[in-house]
């Protein structure tokens, strides 16, 4: 906390200690981006005791079934013109490093993306900024509904996405659907996939590839009243990036599907906007 404040972080809450019979937790908070705060956590003793003396820990209703392994990344939307300054802040104050950057264009929409990661590799932030030289898209909609910068989604890594999605569907989790046409040329686009294609189609699981390998991913529907926060499940099979190739693939699949149904180009563009950037 002292080091971050010394590097220029805005202090919010000084170190506070929570003590229990088998654990001690110390927390402190500094400002992040927009109105989001970062909490530092130092733990001693039983890690199952979340905040001793403040919250009573309980076992998860579903038990420790191993469906989810860890938090893979946070995706954060910032207003246009603020991406570079936000990246510089995490580099200077938190010691993060840039590991990936790209400009994504699809269907007349565009956004800039830079990924920063902590020195340990355990904290990864995907920072997204709309390109206002193109027509408004999903990032613009988030910034409007959220009233500024914020977390768009939380990526949760799993070691077996097919099993995880099947189990979570049975528990009532609603996932975003995928056009059937997306799977028609999937293996041509990403190569052979070590999973039954019919099962991926049934569950609407997406597949992408980068220089390191493949990744499988799917997004939940938003449960937030303003539709500004959702979750992602991601299984990494060597891939180090975040599935940006799926944005274009989803748009093109929706375009083929609607064209086959006789939709006009205007309808195609309007309907596919929701699956693009």
């Amino acid at each position: 906390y002292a080091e971050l404040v010394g590097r220029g972080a805005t202090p919010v809450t000084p170190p506070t200690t929570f003590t229990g019979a088998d654990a001690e937790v110390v927390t402190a908070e500094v400002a992040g981006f927009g109105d989001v705060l970062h909490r530092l956590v130092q733990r001693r003793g039983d890690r199952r005791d979340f905040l001793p003396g403040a919250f009573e820990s309980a076992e998860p209703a579903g038990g420790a079934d191993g469906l989810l392994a860890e938090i893979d990344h946070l995706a954060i939307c910032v207003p246009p013109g603020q991406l570079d300054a936000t990246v510089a802040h995490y580099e200077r104050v938190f010691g993060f490093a840039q590991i990936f950057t790209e400009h994504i264009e699809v269907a007349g929409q565009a956004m800039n993306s830079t990924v920063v990661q902590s020195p340990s590799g355990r904290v990864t932030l995907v920072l997204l900024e709309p390109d206002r030289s193109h027509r408004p898209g999903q990032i613009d909609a988030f910034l409007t509904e959220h009233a500024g910068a914020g977390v768009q989604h939380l990526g949760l890594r799993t070691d077996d996405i097919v099993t995880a999605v099947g189990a979570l569907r049975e528990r009532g989790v609603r996932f975003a659907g995928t056009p059937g046409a997306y799977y028609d040329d999937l293996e041509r686009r990403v190569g052979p996939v070590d999973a039954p294609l019919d099962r991926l189609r049934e569950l609407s699981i997406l597949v992408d590839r980068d220089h390191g390998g493949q990744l499988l991913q799917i997004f939940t529907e938003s449960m937030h009243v303003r539709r500004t926060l959702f979750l992602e499940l991601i299984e990494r099979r060597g891939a180090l990036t975040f599935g940006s190739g799926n944005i274009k693939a989803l748009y093109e699949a929706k375009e083929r599907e609607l064209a086959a149904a006789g939709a006009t180009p205007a309808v195609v563009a309007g309907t596919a906007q929701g699956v693009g950037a």
Side-chain angles (χ1 to χ4, degrees):
Y1 173 80
E3 186 171 353
L4 292 180
V5 172
R7 294 179 184 176
T10 301
V12 177
T13 306
T16 304
T17 302
F18 300 85
T19 304
D22 301 311
E24 179 183 87
V25 178
V26 185
T27 68
E29 294 175 328
V30 297
F33 51 88
D35 59 359
V36 171
L37 308 180
H38 290 307
R39 173 176 290 181
L40 311 174
V41 182
Q42 174 185 323
R43 296 187 178 275
R44 297 191 185 95
D46 191 343
R47 295 185 62 84
R48 293 174 298 177
D49 209 344
F50 178 64
L51 279 183
F55 293 95
E56 182 178 349
S57 299
E59 289 295 326
D65 51 21
L67 290 179
L68 304 175
E70 62 181 358
I71 295 173
D72 186 85
H73 65 275
L74 277 73
I76 295 163
C77 299
V78 300
Q82 293 189 16
L83 179 62
D84 290 344
T86 305
V87 169
H89 178 76
Y90 279 97
E91 290 176 324
R92 183 183 71 255
V93 175
F94 292 91
F96 282 27
Q98 294 186 45
I99 63 169
F100 185 70
T101 184
E102 66 179 332
H103 179 75
I104 302 170
E105 292 187 41
V106 62
Q109 308 167 34
M111 63 180 174
N112 300 309
S113 174
T114 298
V115 181
V116 296
Q117 192 173 74
S118 66
S120 68
R122 297 296 301 276
V123 182
T124 303
L125 307 179
V126 180
L127 301 167
L128 306 166
E129 169 195 66
D131 182 346
R132 286 285 171 83
S133 66
H134 293 64
R135 68 181 179 87
Q138 186 186 110
I139 308 303
D140 300 272
F142 173 93
L143 293 169
T144 298
E145 295 302 317
H146 188 73
V151 176
Q152 181 208 48
H153 73 262
L154 181 67
L156 305 174
R157 189 178 63 78
T158 175
D159 295 322
D160 184 348
I161 195 170
V162 172
T163 297
V165 172
L168 292 174
R169 279 184 181 275
E170 291 179 358
R171 298 177 189 177
V173 177
R174 297 196 303 271
F175 291 94
T178 301
Y182 169 88
Y183 298 94
D184 294 343
D185 68 341
L186 177 61
E187 293 194 322
R188 179 195 61 78
R189 184 170 60 85
V190 303
V193 181
D194 185 20
L197 190 58
D198 57 347
R199 186 67 170 149
L200 298 178
R201 184 191 296 266
E202 175 189 354
L203 296 174
S204 292
I205 294 172
L206 308 172
V207 185
D208 205 354
R209 172 182 288 280
D210 65 14
H211 59 282
Q214 291 182 348
L215 66 83
L216 287 73
Q217 63 185 155
I218 191 171
F219 300 94
T220 69
E221 294 182 3
S222 176
M223 296 171 287
H224 195 280
V225 65
R226 290 181 289 179
R227 316 295 289 177
T228 53
L229 177 67
F230 53 92
L231 303 177
E232 173 188 4
L233 267 63
I234 183 168
E235 178 185 344
R236 295 190 177 275
R237 299 181 176 180
L240 301 175
T241 51
F242 301 89
S244 58
N246 274 324
I247 297 174
K248 183 178 180 181
L250 281 168
Y251 179 85
E252 292 175 343
K254 191 66 178 180
E255 189 174 52
R256 289 195 303 273
E257 191 173 79
L258 293 174
T264 65
V267 174
V268 169
T271 307
Q273 182 176 350
V275 301

